[in-house]
Amino acid sequence: MTDRRTLLGLIAGAALATGLGTTAAQAQEVTLKLHHFLPAQAPVPSQILDVWADKVEAESDGRIKVDRYPSMQLGGKPPELIDQAIDGVADVVWTIVGYTPGRFPSSEVFELPFIMTNAQATSHAFWDMYEQHMQDEFGAVKVLGTWVHGEGLLHTNKPVETPGDLEGMKIRGGSRQVNALLTQLGATPVGMPVPAVSEALSKNVIDGATIPWEVTAALKVPELVENHTEFTGRALYTLTNLLAMNRQKYDSLPDDLKKVIDDNSGLEFSIFAGRTQQEADAPVRAATVERGNNIITLDEAETEKWRELSQPIHDAWVADMQGKGIDGQALIDEARERIDSYTE
């Protein structure tokens, strides 16, 4: 009888252990490696990517764990992020589309000069037009979000009030279209991912940079240059952002976990990301004003001079798109119409 009780106890104990092991396995079924290029405390990682990752973990009841790798900790350089998502080096990446010039040509419509009104409206338009026109271009990945940052402006080591002031200056540009604009305005564009800006400014490799306010704090730009040129109305430029997932990793998920990813992707997330990134501009700008830096805000008439000089960039892009079989002018017209309709 004792032996039988002992045997039954062992069986019950084994069953309990097996059940606990199964529960533990179920508690975390999937780990996603999220890779990007900025320090963890910068606004996009802390206010957008962490929010996304935390929600995915919570809504999956812990069955999805998102490991976050800032500052290219998985290796490589920022322009390689999209291929890391395609190849599975990372499961999810945040990247700037313009870091791979010409690879996703239709999305460049949002990077053209003086297209954007504000980041929320433009991000809304970007997702709409991604769904309608750009899915084939991005077909190698599962796109989770498309958005733009706030107003792009100039941060320089000497005051810039007119296009002529840029003559001969070496300015960092973040995309093919921004570099084309800088060339058109008489500057020498220097292409580099945003993490390289601090060192380039400190060593006088460049005389200035085109970046939004929100990232300047993490890069210490207001400490390295004292002049900042803003524009009235539509922004000088913006850059397109992409949150993308390895397609095979997404396809491998059970349907209920796919739904968690889907529920935290798409239009609402894109609008949230664009709005959040632009809202991060104001406190950094205020801190820069408090430092006593020189903020130059060009009025409508002065901005118009820059806008007129930038028109050849639009014309050249339309011609380039025509060569690729894309109606660039139709994309420009649609982008402007959608952005205007979403601008409050």
Side-chain angles (χ1 to χ4, degrees):
M1 179 67 71
T2 302
D3 289 344
R4 184 170 182 272
R5 287 174 180 169
T6 301
L7 179 61
L8 288 173
L10 290 171
I11 292 171
L16 177 61
T18 301
L20 288 173
T22 302
T23 302
Q26 286 176 342
Q28 184 187 319
E29 295 179 3
V30 177
T31 299
L32 299 179
K33 294 178 290 186
L34 169 58
H35 199 203
H36 62 85
F37 57 87
L38 280 182
Q41 69 273 18
V44 172
S46 63
Q47 298 177 27
I48 297 174
L49 303 182
D50 282 349
V51 170
W52 177 87
D54 290 347
K55 287 187 67 178
V56 165
E57 290 179 341
E59 292 176 19
S60 69
D61 293 325
R63 292 168 60 203
I64 297 176
K65 183 175 185 293
V66 182
D67 289 341
R68 301 122 201 239
Y69 296 90
S71 300
M72 301 305 297
Q73 289 179 354
L74 292 179
K77 299 178 180 180
E80 298 169 10
L81 281 164
I82 189 66
D83 285 315
Q84 291 185 355
I86 293 170
D87 298 337
V89 173
D91 300 308
V92 181
V93 303
W94 164 56
T95 189
I96 302 298
V97 181
Y99 284 177
T100 50
R103 189 163 171 182
F104 306 100
S106 296
S107 67
E108 290 183 329
V109 67
F110 295 105
E111 298 185 344
L112 293 171
F114 300 106
I115 285 285
M116 185 188 85
T117 57
N118 63 61
Q120 177 170 321
T122 307
S123 298
H124 192 159
F126 187 8
W127 181 263
D128 284 353
M129 291 179 65
Y130 156 72
E131 287 200 307
Q132 293 195 21
H133 307 297
M134 304 175 193
Q135 292 198 48
D136 288 346
E137 287 183 13
F138 291 97
V141 292
K142 168 70 175 176
V143 173
L144 307 180
T146 62
W147 72 93
V148 301
H149 61 61
E151 173 192 359
L153 63 152
L154 293 161
H155 310 268
T156 52
N157 59 11
K158 68 176 186 179
V160 173
E161 298 183 6
T162 69
D165 292 334
L166 282 174
E167 189 71 36
M169 294 182 71
K170 295 174 291 183
I171 306 293
R172 175 265 178 184
S175 74
R176 189 170 77 113
Q177 296 309 313
V178 175
N179 288 342
L181 173 62
L182 291 170
T183 300
Q184 176 69 17
L185 296 174
T188 299
V190 181
M192 64 177 67
V194 74
V197 167
S198 298
E199 184 176 5
L201 284 173
S202 65
K203 293 184 176 180
N204 296 316
V205 173
I206 56 176
D207 300 307
T210 54
I211 46 179
W213 278 116
E214 50 91 10
V215 77
T216 61
L219 300 176
K220 302 187 184 302
V221 170
E223 300 171 30
L224 295 167
V225 297
E226 296 183 353
N227 303 283
H228 314 272
T229 305
E230 302 174 324
F231 298 80
T232 297
R234 294 180 187 270
L236 176 68
Y237 81 95
T238 190
L239 295 184
T240 49
N241 292 249
L242 181 72
L243 188 67
M245 185 172 181
N246 175 267
R247 186 166 286 281
Q248 289 72 35
K249 187 75 171 185
Y250 174 82
D251 290 342
S252 72
L253 298 177
D255 287 345
D256 60 336
L257 294 187
K258 284 181 183 175
K259 185 176 186 301
V260 172
I261 299 296
D262 292 345
D263 287 348
N264 289 283
S265 306
L267 177 61
E268 288 189 12
F269 171 72
S270 298
I271 292 172
F272 157 77
R275 181 179 65 247
T276 301
Q277 196 163 358
Q278 181 155 339
E279 286 174 348
D281 288 343
V284 180
R285 185 186 187 281
T288 304
V289 171
E290 190 172 344
R291 282 183 60 86
N293 285 22
N294 181 29
I295 312 292
I296 301 165
T297 302
L298 303 182
D299 63 22
E300 182 63 38
E302 292 167 326
T303 298
E304 181 60 28
K305 298 173 185 176
W306 293 69
R307 191 178 296 119
E308 289 174 358
L309 281 175
S310 73
Q311 183 57 43
I313 306 303
H314 289 233
D315 299 339
W317 186 76
V318 168
D320 184 28
M321 292 303 101
Q322 186 175 359
K324 300 176 187 297
I326 298 170
D327 189 341
Q329 188 59 54
L331 289 177
I332 290 174
D333 293 343
E334 182 177 348
R336 281 177 168 153
E337 182 179 349
R338 288 184 180 275
I339 290 168
D340 287 348
S341 70
Y342 297 141
T343 299
E344 297 178 355

